[in-house]
């Protein structure tokens, strides 16, 4: 059995979809499994033992219909038996159509499509604490006679060499791994997914006050340095002494290696949180007020993995609508209502539970 799974775009999506490979291999160990992803997301699925082949979708192919067509035609030569289109956009539909696979599966987005044999509507309520992002993917495996509630957790596979290298890097930069080490997701993927800077600074102050021996790392990429520096400048002088602002990896695998040595990742919801969970690192997640918490609060248990959302504390704000598209334009105003005071006790309890 030869299977192609298509999941383009974001790192968190690619990581979440990787569970499907493990689920399939458990039942069909000899199946040959292929994965179409954007090239920049490869580090989170590198070394995954359940994925046999990768096919990288580039920005050039995304921009050029001619290159996209050639990419899809090249894939069709593999003669897949099954194609699972998790992305369900124009590019993935073309790949699915040209594959000529007998079984074609995708999400039901409300428009009838002749391309797919099977489509599934996204569930609105999760049956487990895995969350909707996981459960909605696993239900796409029903045509393969797999139980969609046999939950698989996303995993990131680091080599021993990578973990050891990260340990040496941290220690050579003055980090004492016997003391608490926290990675802070100071910035989201965009302004409307980023907790206000002054509020985030107060979160960091609170972490240091609760855990006075803590060592703080900031997670940001080079083009976010000015924003990260702005948050650093808003922290108290006491907290600043605990922040190692310039300890950064050179690439995503370096970040994963560093995070694997942290006691927790705390901050904005996004790819970094999902990666920490896949590394089995405790997380405390601050959700953007316009994002549906139910979709991405994967494996929250109120203990090792905790998440907070404005709706948890001000449900009346969401009585008129909780549809992300309608809330997105109000993100700034909603964020200003989402003060640390709401979840300060939750954060302190989480930190004290770690040690």
């Amino acid at each position: 059995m030869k299977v192609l799974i298509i999941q383009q775009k974001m790192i968190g999506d690619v990581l979440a979809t990787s569970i499907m490979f493990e689920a399939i291999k458990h039942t069909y160990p000899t199946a040959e499994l292929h994965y179409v992803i954007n090239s920049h997301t490869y580090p989170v699925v590198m070394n995954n033992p359940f994925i046999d082949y990768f096919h990288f979708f580039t920005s050039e192919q995304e921009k050029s219909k001619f290159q996209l067509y050639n990419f899809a035609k090249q894939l069709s030569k593999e003669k897949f038996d099954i194609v699972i289109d998790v992305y369900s956009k124009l590019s993935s539909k073309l790949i699915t159509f040209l594959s000529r696979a007998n079984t074609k599966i995708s999400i039901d987005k409300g428009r009838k499509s002749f391309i797919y044999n099977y489509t599934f509507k996204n569930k609105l309520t999760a049956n487990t604490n895995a969350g909707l992002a996981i459960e909605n993917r696993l239900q796409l495996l029903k045509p393969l006679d797999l139980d969609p509630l046999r939950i698989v957790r996303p995993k990131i596979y680091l080599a021993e060499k990578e973990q050891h290298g990260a340990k040496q890097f941290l220690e050579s930069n003055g980090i004492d791994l016997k003391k608490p080490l926290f990675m802070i997701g100071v910035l989201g993927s965009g302004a409307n997914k980023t907790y206000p800077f002054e509020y985030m600074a107060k979160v960091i102050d609170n972490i240091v006050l609760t855990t006075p021996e803590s060592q703080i790392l900031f997670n940001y990429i080079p083009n976010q340095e000015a924003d990260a520096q702005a948050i650093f400048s808003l922290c108290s002088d006491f907290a600043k002494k605990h922040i190692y602002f310039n300890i950064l990896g050179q690439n995503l695998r370096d970040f994963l290696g560093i995070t694997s040595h942290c006691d927790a990742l705390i901050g904005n919801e996004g790819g970094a949180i999902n990666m920490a969970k896949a590394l089995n690192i405790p997380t405390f997640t601050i959700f953007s007020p316009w994002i549906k918490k139910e979709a991405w609060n994967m494996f929250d248990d109120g203990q090792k993995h905790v998440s907070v959302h404005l709706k948890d504390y001000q449900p009346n704000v969401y009585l008129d609508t909780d549809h992300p598209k309608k809330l997105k334009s109000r993100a700034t105003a909603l964020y200003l209502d989402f003060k640390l005071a709401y979840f300060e006790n939750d954060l302190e309890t989480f930190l004290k539970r770690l040690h």
Side-chain angles (χ1 to χ4, degrees):
M1 187 167 72
K2 206 168 181 180
V3 183
L4 175 67
I5 298 178
I6 308 167
Q7 175 65 80
Q8 293 149 242
K9 290 299 179 188
M10 307 299 280
I11 286 170
D13 295 306
V14 168
L15 180 57
T17 296
S18 68
I19 61 169
M20 298 170 73
F21 293 86
E22 183 173 350
I24 293 169
K25 283 283 190 180
H26 280 318
T27 304
Y28 304 101
T30 60
E32 183 179 301
L33 307 183
H34 295 238
Y35 202 10
V36 168
I37 57 173
N38 287 76
S39 48
H40 74 277
T41 66
Y42 176 58
V44 296
V45 285
M46 186 188 297
N47 299 334
N48 187 309
F50 302 103
I51 304 172
D52 298 307
Y53 297 98
F54 290 94
H55 305 276
F56 297 114
F57 188 73
T58 65
S59 55
E60 289 76 23
Q61 288 160 346
E62 199 161 9
K63 292 170 188 170
S64 165
K65 289 186 174 65
F66 177 71
Q67 288 198 39
L68 168 61
Y69 178 78
N70 283 341
F71 178 66
K73 283 295 286 181
Q74 197 65 33
L75 279 173
S76 70
K77 293 177 183 177
E78 295 283 350
K79 297 182 179 178
F80 295 106
D81 300 297
I82 299 166
V83 174
I84 304 173
D85 178 9
V86 186
Y87 187 50
S88 195
K89 297 286 185 179
L90 181 61
S91 56
S92 58
K93 285 178 179 177
L94 179 64
I95 293 167
T96 305
F97 176 69
L98 292 179
S99 74
R100 300 188 183 279
N102 288 327
T103 302
K104 297 181 281 291
I105 307 162
S106 190
I107 303 159
D108 182 349
K109 291 200 168 179
R111 295 181 297 275
K112 292 293 181 186
S113 176
F114 68 92
I115 295 173
Y116 307 105
N117 309 93
Y118 303 93
T119 56
F120 296 88
K121 284 190 179 296
N122 279 332
K123 296 161 62 175
L124 299 177
T125 306
N127 294 97
T128 71
N129 77 335
L132 291 173
I134 298 295
E135 290 190 20
N136 281 327
R137 283 165 167 80
L138 289 175
Q139 71 172 345
L140 296 177
L141 300 179
K142 284 181 181 177
L144 281 67
D145 295 323
L146 297 183
D147 179 2
L149 291 180
R150 183 183 175 183
I151 300 301
V152 179
R153 285 176 175 261
K155 300 177 189 71
I156 287 172
Y157 297 87
L158 286 174
E160 191 176 324
K161 181 181 177 183
E162 290 176 299
Q163 288 179 303
H164 183 66
K167 181 175 183 283
Q168 286 186 317
F169 172 73
L170 288 168
E171 290 176 338
S172 68
N173 281 279
I175 296 295
D176 183 350
L177 291 174
K178 292 175 183 162
K179 294 180 179 178
L181 179 63
F182 301 121
M183 179 71 75
I184 311 297
V186 289
L187 298 160
S189 57
N192 58 24
K193 281 190 172 185
T194 298
Y195 198 50
F197 289 7
E198 60 272 27
Y199 292 6
M200 181 57 76
K202 287 178 182 176
V203 167
I204 296 163
D205 289 349
N206 189 269
I207 292 168
V208 177
L209 286 169
T210 305
T211 316
E213 284 198 310
S214 60
Q215 304 160 101
I216 305 292
L217 305 179
F218 277 19
N219 171 36
Y220 62 91
I221 56 178
N223 66 7
Q224 295 175 321
E225 184 173 355
D227 286 342
Q229 187 70 53
I231 293 169
F232 173 81
S233 68
L234 291 166
C235 293
S236 69
D237 290 339
F238 176 67
K240 283 176 183 173
K241 293 174 184 175
H242 293 256
I243 299 170
Y244 293 75
F245 186 83
N246 293 314
I247 293 186
L248 293 170
Q250 296 297 307
N251 52 51
L252 188 49
R253 291 298 285 191
D254 286 349
F255 166 75
L256 294 170
I258 292 167
T259 303
S260 73
H261 292 286
C262 291
D263 291 273
L265 195 150
I266 300 163
N268 290 283
E269 182 273 328
I273 289 284
N274 299 322
M275 287 184 266
K277 287 180 178 179
L279 290 166
N280 202 30
I281 301 299
T283 60
F284 188 95
T285 310
I286 303 169
F287 269 85
S288 170
W290 68 272
I291 297 291
K292 273 189 176 290
K293 179 179 170 181
E294 300 86 351
W296 285 99
N297 62 339
M298 296 189 298
F299 303 103
D300 273 10
D301 54 13
Q303 302 285 321
K304 186 172 182 176
H305 299 295
V306 177
S307 64
V308 293
H309 191 290
L310 180 62
K311 190 177 180 180
D312 299 333
Y313 309 98
Q314 284 197 29
N316 290 344
V317 171
Y318 295 85
L319 288 178
D320 294 335
T321 181
D322 64 352
H323 196 286
K325 286 183 180 177
K326 292 183 180 177
L327 292 167
K328 193 173 182 179
S329 62
R330 296 166 53 202
T332 301
L334 290 170
Y335 257 137
L336 290 174
D337 283 339
F338 195 13
K339 294 181 171 64
L340 170 62
Y342 284 129
F343 59 87
E344 188 172 5
N345 289 338
D346 297 320
L347 178 58
E348 289 177 7
T349 301
F350 172 79
L351 292 166
K352 287 173 181 175
R353 197 181 292 117
L354 296 173
H355 297 283

